[in-house]
Amino acid sequence: MARAAASTRSWTKARPTKECRLAVAAVLEKSTHTSGIGWRLTTPIGPGPIGTATHQQDRTLIAAELAAVRKGLNAALREGCRRLRIRVPRPATARVLAEEEPLAYRRATRAARRMQPLIDQFEWLRVEPSVPEDPELNLAVARALDAGLHRAAEREELREQALERVMERAKDVRLEERDGRWIANGRYRVQLNPMQCECPAWTARWARTPLPGRRARRLPCKHIVALALRYGITMPSQLMAMARRAAT
């Protein structure tokens, strides 16, 4: 059975003159087993759109990266790519795809083997460990994780854990005051009491949910949390109580 190549192998004796490139990325929040994954295919024409997804049951980053590879392989086949170079963030993921460490990562190796029917459709395929250098891909994956955390928070037992993760991400939010209003990351107007933010995590995702449902299940977005931290509100229970009093 042909196998995906690690950095020292390829399927063909001669390297193809033209190839597609697939970059994947993933982030994992371990306490809720929530991951955001992303992939981007570059053909000889140029970079394609970024694809993202959220998973709720990934237990390791390797599993999340393998899920991103599977999505990327399907995207490459749809675009007619038959010669593909895959870049994965973790060297261990590349080794799993090449079946170089089947005993160390048994579950991941089984997941990689289930991709074999996809892999067999390529004439040439090579896997290399490489940290993603695409800021748009990294941002898209982070947003996918945010969406997943908000979904995880719909399970009451995971709400506090998910909010703690949002609080960690809020530390990177930039806040500035303009004409008496707070602006997050230069684009979203945000306020604390009552809670309101213009970002999709607070508005678009919940647009079709009646207000009582929003109040019961919605988590504050990272922009709201950043503003709360600025005012010294640091307890997840306080933030959840304020979210339940949201006006919209």
Side-chain angles (χ1 to χ4, degrees):
M1 178 182 292
R3 294 186 297 183
S7 57
T8 57
R9 302 187 202 170
S10 64
W11 281 3
T12 56
K13 294 181 179 179
R15 177 180 171 180
T17 56
K18 292 184 179 180
E19 62 192 37
C20 299
R21 299 191 307 276
L22 174 66
V24 303
V27 287
L28 173 69
E29 200 289 303
K30 292 184 178 180
S31 63
T32 60
H33 304 302
T34 301
S35 63
I37 64 173
W39 58 95
R40 188 175 218 173
L41 182 70
T42 299
T43 69
I45 298 175
I50 293 172
T52 62
T54 299
H55 285 185
Q56 299 289 347
Q57 298 297 326
D58 288 332
R59 295 184 177 274
T60 66
L61 262 177
I62 293 177
E65 289 178 8
L66 288 174
V69 169
R70 175 183 288 276
K71 295 281 191 179
L73 289 174
N74 279 302
L77 290 171
R78 287 195 299 270
E79 292 297 319
C81 296
R82 293 299 180 268
R83 298 172 176 178
L84 185 65
R85 182 183 299 272
I86 306 174
R87 292 180 175 175
V88 295
R90 294 170 60 84
T93 304
R95 294 195 297 270
V96 165
L97 283 165
E99 295 189 30
E100 292 180 352
E101 295 192 65
L103 298 180
Y105 303 100
R106 294 182 181 179
R107 181 176 294 182
T109 298
R110 290 196 295 269
R113 286 173 179 168
R114 288 195 292 270
M115 283 191 269
Q116 196 62 48
L118 291 175
I119 293 173
D120 286 342
Q121 297 180 58
F122 292 88
E123 299 172 5
W124 183 91
L125 188 146
R126 188 179 182 92
V127 182
E128 299 174 344
S130 176
V131 177
E133 299 177 353
D134 186 340
E136 291 183 348
L137 176 59
N138 292 331
L139 178 60
V141 167
R143 287 175 174 169
L145 176 62
D146 283 344
L149 288 171
H150 282 267
R151 280 198 287 273
E154 294 175 16
R155 297 168 53 189
E156 190 63 33
E157 70 273 19
L158 297 179
R159 286 181 63 81
E160 188 164 335
Q161 293 175 342
L163 184 53
E164 287 174 354
R165 174 62 175 170
V166 175
M167 293 175 76
E168 291 177 15
R169 291 181 51 72
K171 295 175 182 177
D172 295 327
V173 173
R174 303 186 314 277
L175 289 170
E176 59 181 312
E177 196 170 7
R178 299 180 191 168
D179 301 324
R181 290 180 174 269
W182 288 103
I183 307 297
N185 289 343
R187 59 189 305 190
Y188 300 124
R189 289 185 295 181
V190 58
Q191 64 184 49
L192 191 58
N193 192 15
M195 281 188 175
Q196 181 63 39
C197 184
E198 295 178 337
C199 76
W202 182 256
T203 57
R205 168 164 162 67
W206 297 92
R208 297 183 179 180
T209 303
L211 181 57
R214 291 200 295 272
R215 285 175 169 169
R217 297 158 53 196
R218 181 170 54 179
L219 276 191
C221 66
K222 64 182 179 182
H223 311 109
I224 290 174
V225 172
L227 187 57
L229 293 175
R230 191 181 188 96
Y231 282 103
I233 300 172
T234 60
M235 297 296 292
S237 58
Q238 291 176 283
L239 286 165
M240 287 189 290
M242 293 176 70
R244 291 189 177 102
R245 298 194 299 270
T248 59

